[in-house]
Amino acid sequence: METYFDHSATTYLRPEVTQVMNKYLEDEYGNPGSFHYKGLKAKLALGAAREKIAKIIGCDPSEIIFTGGGTESCNLAIKGLTKSKKKGHIITSSIEHHAVTDTCDYLERHEGFDVTYVGVDKDGIVDVEQVRKAIREDTILISIMYANNEIGTIQPIKEISEIAKDKGIVFHTDACQASGSLDIDVRNIGVDMMTLNASKIYGPKGVGLLYVRKGIRLVPLIHGGGQENNRRSGTENVPGIIGFAEALELAQAEKDSESARLKEIRDYLIKRVVDEIPESWLNGHAEKRLANNANITFLNIEGEAIILLMNEHEIYVSSGSACTSKTLDPSHVIVAMGMPYEAAHGSIRFTLGKRNTKKDVDKLMEVLPDIIEKLRGISPVHLKAEEIR
Amino acid sequence: MIEVKGTVHPDVKAKVDAKSWFYTDEVRDHFFNPKNILKTQKEATEYEAISDGVGEVGSPACGDMMKIWIKVDSDSDKIKECKWQTFGCASAIASTSIMSEMVIENGGMTITQALALKPHDIVERLHGLPARKFHCSVLGDKALSAAINNYFFKSGQKDRIIVSKGAEIVDKILKITDKDIEEAVLEGAHDFEAVQKKTKVGVQDKTCIPRVKELIEFYKDKYYG
Ligand SMILES: Cc1ncc(COP(=O)(O)O)c(C=O)c1O
């Protein structure tokens, strides 16, 4: 039996989603742009999905642009806005997903924009005061994530959106990790642009959206047939979008009960791991975190080795270790919290989901202590937590 | 062929071979059953007392640290035992394991042979490593050289002590030399970022960065100028 603790990477589809998608994969497969009934039916279904999502996030349907996922939405928000401005200053945080960080980095290196990366405190929460202080005359965009994908910390985006509004600066939030458990009504959280995707909430991969408040001008990144009101060309992913709408509706309807259930399992996991395995600790704020995220450092060993040994027991997790990143840099998020590199290399992220129960934690704890002990045995490093924290 | 557990779509299964998994079968074998390893801190302390030389490179901050202990037969100048410990990923564990086997097989390498051991030889025996994991095997041979030097020192053979294969050490923490920079440039890394990706030079010892940049320019001029 496999134990999947990597729901922040992606999820399985829930059956309700598979079911509605199947209809549009096999029967109602038309192109919404076609001039016949087959196309019209797809067009109507697409419109209904858009309206469903608009209702959930509290906006007008015309303010939603469907995209090919979270990465594309973040790119569209940041590049689309800056392309219409030529130059200016962007504020973002030091713990964003690469979809945001690398886009900002690109604009800084190649397009002449200035970027300020505001830091986080030792619990991984963005410092609102730093955001306020970073604002300049020419600041055109603030992009701060709603909830972090590695350590699960929830950011004070309402406070930041108030600051942004006050100064007339566009505020984008990457809410990919938030839609399963947090309030994503744009009227409540006050953002101007918001990125969402389907693959973290039991919907399909490669489908996302960008909410763009009316009046904000974006230059499209993809030109062609003029779909999505000329803002994102290409035949619409009708089954994907319909699956996304269904997944989002269910996730938001269940968010309180499912969060409560996950939180209990999460806290059980954290307690057992930290209590039973020496020199281990939780990364990120203990309360201001996603209900399904536990990120734990195991000192003196390296994350990739832990993952591969757990993999043998069909327990699936991820790590902030350098060896599991393409760039050989350890997690920028854990380092941003002021943790030494040693702590990032041995960090393991457990992210829970619908199919997990406390039993999975018990299964984990049957093997994890031995894995950690084995790797510590062969490690020549013997640091103590209090020496480096 | 690596068996992927659980159900895999038939179209996928046909394509899941050693290369599309993370590592080769050899890496996998040595990762799960490392040879010549000291399994606990206690074993390591006890072995250190009876070993002839010990060498250590890397640091946990860089994500890799290796320690190697050797026993040498002074008459034949051959390495009889090669034990190790590592903080690192699967490829670091596997490359040190296979190196320890190479060093002691067939009655053991002579010191001269051991010093001539190249990262490339280790990677070959592992049937390849992902390019970005290459530096793991580079650390193995460095730790071995350091252990041999320590043996020279402890056994009073001061004339044989070598400064990292006769090279200038630029990165003092990872013990990366000008030769490593030269190799990286020859392998196609033509600016500091590319060289750092290959060698990890300057990741921790930031003081060496200006010197590394100089060396890159020098070797680029020499070979491509
Ligand atoms: C916070 C965050 N932003 C962006 C993305 C990228 O989304 P996608 O994989 O749909 O492009 C992810 C998922 O990996 C994420 O967790």
Side-chain angles (χ1 to χ4, degrees):
Chain A
M1 260 293 282
E2 56 180 41
T3 305
Y4 189 72
F5 281 144
D6 207 8
H7 291 81
S8 283
T10 192
T11 53
Y12 27 87
L13 261 63
R14 52 191 300 167
E16 301 93 324
V17 171
T18 318
Q19 204 187 339
V20 295
M21 282 181 71
N22 271 338
K23 184 174 166 207
Y24 291 88
L25 286 162
E26 290 177 10
D27 303 327
E28 297 308 337
Y29 49 78
N31 183 330
S34 296
F35 214 67
H36 45 57
Y37 283 154
K38 206 66 191 166
L40 183 62
K41 283 195 226 170
K43 186 176 172 175
L44 291 175
L46 179 66
R50 195 188 306 276
E51 271 179 32
K52 192 190 255 188
I53 294 179
K55 207 168 268 165
I56 297 167
I57 67 174
C59 72
D60 190 85
S62 67
E63 295 175 309
I64 291 171
I65 307 173
F66 288 115
T67 68
T71 304
E72 187 189 327
S73 296
C74 290
N75 271 264
L76 177 57
I78 299 168
K79 286 189 207 151
L81 186 90
T82 50
K83 266 192 200 307
S84 72
K85 301 277 197 238
K86 302 280 182 287
K87 71 191 207 338
H89 175 235
I90 302 166
I91 299 171
T92 184
S93 85
S94 54
I95 60 165
E96 298 296 309
H97 188 275
H98 286 295
V100 169
T101 314
D102 288 18
T103 304
C104 290
D105 185 56
Y106 169 81
L107 290 173
E108 189 172 33
R109 279 171 197 261
H110 301 288
E111 306 275 332
F113 287 88
D114 288 341
V115 181
T116 301
Y117 296 88
V118 298
V120 295
D121 63 16
K122 64 176 194 347
D123 291 322
I125 309 283
V126 170
D127 182 345
V128 179
E129 271 322 296
Q130 270 195 47
V131 176
R132 197 193 303 276
K133 284 196 196 115
I135 293 173
R136 310 194 316 207
E137 282 281 274
D138 61 342
T139 304
I140 50 173
L141 172 68
I142 301 176
S143 185
I144 308 268
M145 70 198 324
Y146 197 160
N148 180 267
N149 47 301
E150 287 187 40
I151 52 173
T153 49
I154 299 165
Q155 304 304 328
I157 59 165
K158 263 185 225 175
E159 288 168 71
I160 297 167
S161 75
E162 270 158 31
I163 297 173
K165 200 158 287 151
D166 203 39
K167 303 271 179 186
I169 301 165
V170 174
F171 179 35
H172 165 249
T173 192
D174 170 1
C176 287
Q177 294 289 344
S179 46
S181 56
L182 304 177
D183 180 6
I184 50 165
D185 188 318
V186 295
R187 292 165 301 190
N188 298 340
I189 58 179
V191 296
D192 301 304
M193 295 199 276
M194 177 167 72
T195 286
L196 290 174
N197 66 0
S199 67
K200 319 283 185 191
I201 49 170
Y202 314 99
K205 296 167 186 45
V207 188
L209 67 79
L210 181 67
Y211 155 75
V212 187
R213 189 172 51 74
K214 251 182 222 157
I216 294 176
R217 230 190 103 227
L218 288 190
V219 177
L221 306 184
I222 299 179
H223 298 90
Q227 288 88 346
E228 296 298 293
N229 228 341
N230 260 325
R231 292 176 297 184
R232 202 279 189 180
S233 286
T235 302
E236 300 88 340
N237 179 357
V238 178
I241 291 166
I242 285 167
F244 183 13
E246 181 75 14
L248 190 66
E249 185 175 47
L250 291 167
Q252 281 286 304
E254 293 170 1
K255 73 177 191 316
D256 294 339
S257 57
E258 182 62 2
S259 296
R261 191 187 77 86
L262 289 172
K263 205 176 264 178
E264 214 180 299
I265 309 173
R266 178 200 72 189
D267 290 342
Y268 178 62
L269 185 150
I270 294 170
K271 182 161 171 33
R272 284 206 61 186
V273 172
V274 173
D275 281 359
E276 294 172 36
I277 300 177
E279 310 302 328
S280 67
W281 67 80
L282 180 73
N283 292 311
H285 200 284
E287 279 99 43
K288 292 180 194 162
R289 69 186 304 125
L290 292 171
N292 75 333
N293 176 300
N295 185 308
I296 296 175
T297 285
F298 301 97
L299 201 54
N300 298 328
I301 50 180
E302 197 279 327
E304 189 207 80
I306 305 175
I307 294 186
L308 292 179
L309 290 178
M310 284 168 75
N311 182 52
E312 285 306 293
H313 297 276
E314 296 181 71
I315 299 175
Y316 305 132
V317 296
S318 70
S319 168
S321 138
C323 281
T324 59
S325 83
K326 289 200 174 63
T327 52
L328 287 179
D329 293 323
S331 159
H332 65 289
V333 176
I334 297 198
V335 173
M337 289 193 296
M339 285 278 180
Y341 282 78
E342 288 90 332
H345 291 299
S347 69
I348 294 288
R349 178 185 76 173
F350 305 86
T351 44
L352 314 175
K354 287 191 92 56
R355 293 183 185 162
N356 292 130
T357 63
K358 274 190 181 174
K359 281 211 177 72
D360 295 323
V361 178
D362 294 331
K363 182 188 161 187
L364 169 76
M365 290 312 291
E366 277 170 29
V367 299
L368 188 60
D370 289 345
I371 289 173
I372 303 298
E373 197 180 303
K374 180 179 169 188
L375 289 172
R376 284 193 176 147
I378 67 167
S379 169
V381 186
H382 311 289
L383 295 167
K384 289 272 177 224
E386 66 262 22
E387 288 170 39
I388 70 162
R389 279 186 83 185
Chain B
M1 174 89 179
I2 283 162
E3 194 58 39
V4 175
K5 290 189 183 175
T7 46
V8 177
H9 190 279
D11 293 348
V12 177
K13 184 145 185 131
K15 290 186 198 128
V16 177
D17 59 12
K19 284 213 170 56
S20 60
W21 208 62
F22 318 104
Y23 295 116
T24 64
D25 287 354
E26 285 70 22
V27 174
R28 192 185 158 89
D29 282 353
H30 279 270
F31 171 62
F32 286 112
N33 298 300
K35 308 292 178 329
N36 304 310
I37 192 164
L38 298 173
K39 289 204 176 71
T40 62
Q41 191 178 354
K42 184 164 170 283
E43 269 186 43
T45 316
E46 286 168 8
Y47 193 80
E48 181 146 344
I50 56 163
S51 71
D52 298 321
V54 51
E56 183 178 286
V57 291
S59 88
C62 302
D64 286 293
M65 176 163 166
M66 254 167 235
K67 202 163 173 181
I68 286 183
W69 293 263
I70 51 170
K71 272 197 190 179
V72 183
D73 175 45
S74 54
D75 294 337
S76 59
D77 210 33
K78 281 183 174 174
I79 300 175
K80 290 294 173 188
E81 282 182 24
C82 177
K83 304 275 186 192
W84 57 278
Q85 286 202 315
T86 186
F87 168 103
C89 57
S91 34
I93 291 175
S95 59
T96 326
S97 173
I98 206 151
M99 186 188 79
S100 72
E101 277 201 329
M102 293 164 78
V103 169
I104 61 166
E105 69 194 0
N106 307 323
M109 282 186 175
T110 62
I111 297 273
T112 317
Q113 286 169 330
L115 284 171
L117 195 63
K118 290 269 175 324
H120 183 73
D121 307 327
I122 300 170
V123 174
E124 212 168 72
R125 277 282 285 262
L126 288 171
H127 291 185
L129 278 180
R132 64 196 186 83
K133 296 295 183 109
F134 198 82
H135 75 270
C136 300
S137 57
V138 177
L139 281 185
D141 80 310
K142 285 216 170 73
L144 179 63
S145 303
I148 292 172
N149 252 347
N150 180 250
Y151 160 68
F152 289 155
F153 181 78
K154 276 167 65 174
S155 59
Q157 308 179 59
K158 300 251 154 62
D159 51 320
R160 291 181 82 186
I161 292 175
I162 353 168
V163 180
S164 203
K165 299 186 182 173
E168 168 201 357
I169 296 181
V170 282
D171 184 313
K172 290 185 190 57
I173 296 172
L174 278 181
K175 307 214 166 77
I176 291 168
T177 65
D178 56 349
K179 292 269 187 304
D180 299 314
I181 308 298
E182 184 176 7
E183 258 176 48
V185 172
L186 277 169
E187 285 169 17
H190 288 176
D191 56 30
F192 177 72
E193 272 158 32
V195 169
Q196 184 171 55
K197 246 189 202 145
K198 270 198 192 311
T199 60
K200 295 187 108 189
V201 71
V203 167
Q204 247 217 322
D205 181 4
K206 302 220 188 289
T207 60
C208 73
I209 294 174
R211 175 69 183 141
V212 174
K213 287 185 173 161
E214 249 175 49
L215 284 168
I216 294 168
E217 287 313 310
F218 174 77
Y219 290 122
K220 256 168 58 186
D221 233 35
K222 180 169 164 189
Y223 296 110
Y224 305 94

